Amino acid sequence: MPQPQPESIEFDHPCPIRDVLDRIGDQWSVLILLTLQPGTKRFNALMREIGDISKQMLSRTLKHLEQDGFITRTVYPEVPPRVEYRLTELGHSFLEPMQALVTWADAHHRTIAEARRRYRGGE
Amino acid sequence: MPQPQPESIEFDHPCPIRDVLDRIGDQWSVLILLTLQPGTKRFNALMREIGDISKQMLSRTLKHLEQDGFITRTVYPEVPPRVEYRLTELGHSFLEPMQALVTWADAHHRTIAEARRRYRGGE
DNA sequence: CCGCTTGGGTCTATTTAGTAGACCAGGTCT
DNA sequence: AGACCTGGTCTACTAAATAGACCCAAGCGG
C-alpha cells in the first residue's frame, strides 16, 4: 500500500485570500470552473474542452473543487460509467467576481501582448 | 554558458483569458501585485512580506510582471544597490476586478473551510 | 590594508509537482 | 471470443520550485 498522496488539507495562513488563492490559483481550477459554467459536463467532455490537461490533474483538481464545495460529482451506476460534474451555488457565486477578471483580461490582453513585445524588442 | 532558461514567451492560445491566467494564475503573481498595492517596495521588503517565496521565484515573477507591464523596476545606482518595484496603471487597473475576488474570498472562506471539513468527516 | 556588512540578485543541487501513457472494471456489440 | 466504452488510477519520466551557497562593489571599523 503505497499511500502516495497525503493531500495536505490545511488552512495554515491566517489570511483567507492566501487560502483561496492557493486552491483556486493553480493552473487548472479556474479554467475548469469556467468550463463548467454553461452547465453540467462529464469527465471526458472536460478533458476535450480544456485540451491540454492530463487525466490525473483533471481528476485531482475536480476532487479538490468538490471538496471545497465548488462543484458536485454525480455518478450514474451504468455501464460504461457516467459521471457528471456541475457547479454548486458557491461555484456560481465565485464565477461572478471571476467574470470581472475575465472581462478585464479580454479588454487588456492586447496591451499586455504589446508590453511583452516591447520588452523583447528593447532588451 | 548553460543558458538554462529559454523563458518561453508565447501567446499560443487564441483565448485571452487563458493567456492572462497562465501568467497571473501562478502561485505568486497575484500575491506580489497585492503586496505592491499600497505602494513602492524593494526586493527584500517583498521577500519579507510574502514570507515563503524563494528569491528565485520572486525574481522570476517580478521579471514576468515587468515584462507584461504590470509593474516597473527602478534601479538606483548606489552601493549597496537599491531597486524599487511599483505598480503601473495597468497593474492598478488589474487589481480592481481582483479586489472583487479578494472580497469574495473573504466572505466565503468559512463556507469553504466547512465544506472541506464535511468532506473529510464524511469520507 | 584586511575583512565584514549590505542589497539584489544568480547558480546549482535536491525536492516536488505535473505529464504521458499503460492498465483496470465490466457490460454491450459483433 | 474479442474489441470497445467511460472514468478513472498507477507508474515512470520530466519539468518546475526551493534552499542555500555564492557574487559584486562600496563603506566602515580597527
Side-chain angles (χ1 to χ4, degrees), chain B residues 4-111:
Chain B
Q5 287 133 333
E7 295 284 345
S8 78
I9 307 168
E10 276 122 50
F11 256 143
D12 281 358
H13 303 294
C15 153
I17 297 101
R18 270 307 264 283
D19 264 322
V20 176
L21 278 180
D22 274 3
R23 278 311 179 83
I24 58 101
D26 62 48
Q27 200 64 228
W28 301 115
S29 295
V30 171
L31 222 50
I32 291 174
L33 292 177
L34 286 171
T35 308
L36 283 174
Q37 192 169 29
T40 299
K41 295 240 167 66
R42 302 173 60 172
F43 189 88
N44 281 333
L46 286 167
M47 279 273 283
R48 270 191 307 278
E49 277 199 54
I50 293 173
D52 52 353
I53 189 173
S54 67
K55 286 179 160 207
Q56 198 169 53
M57 278 313 288
L58 180 55
S59 174
R60 183 203 297 285
T61 309
L62 286 169
K63 211 173 286 177
H64 284 160
L65 291 175
E66 186 198 359
Q67 187 173 202
D68 285 6
F70 287 95
I71 61 176
T72 57
R73 178 176 184 273
T74 315
V75 184
Y76 297 86
E78 306 168 357
V79 169
R82 186 159 56 99
V83 180
E84 289 187 343
Y85 294 93
R86 108 179 40 193
L87 292 180
T88 59
E89 265 314 299
L90 187 73
H92 278 292
S93 93
F94 167 78
L95 284 182
E96 257 171 74
M98 195 63 215
Q99 267 307 331
L101 247 166
V102 170
T103 305
W104 184 93
D106 222 358
H108 294 82
H109 79 282
R110 275 177 192 294
T111 312

Side-chain angles (χ1 to χ4, degrees), chain A residues 114-123, chain B residues 63 66-68:
Chain A
E114 203 185 318
R116 216 171 277 184
R117 267 194 302 279
R118 213 173 14 247
Y119 189 93
R120 299 262 284 185
E123 192 189 3
Chain B
K63 211 173 286 177
E66 186 198 359
Q67 187 173 202
D68 285 6

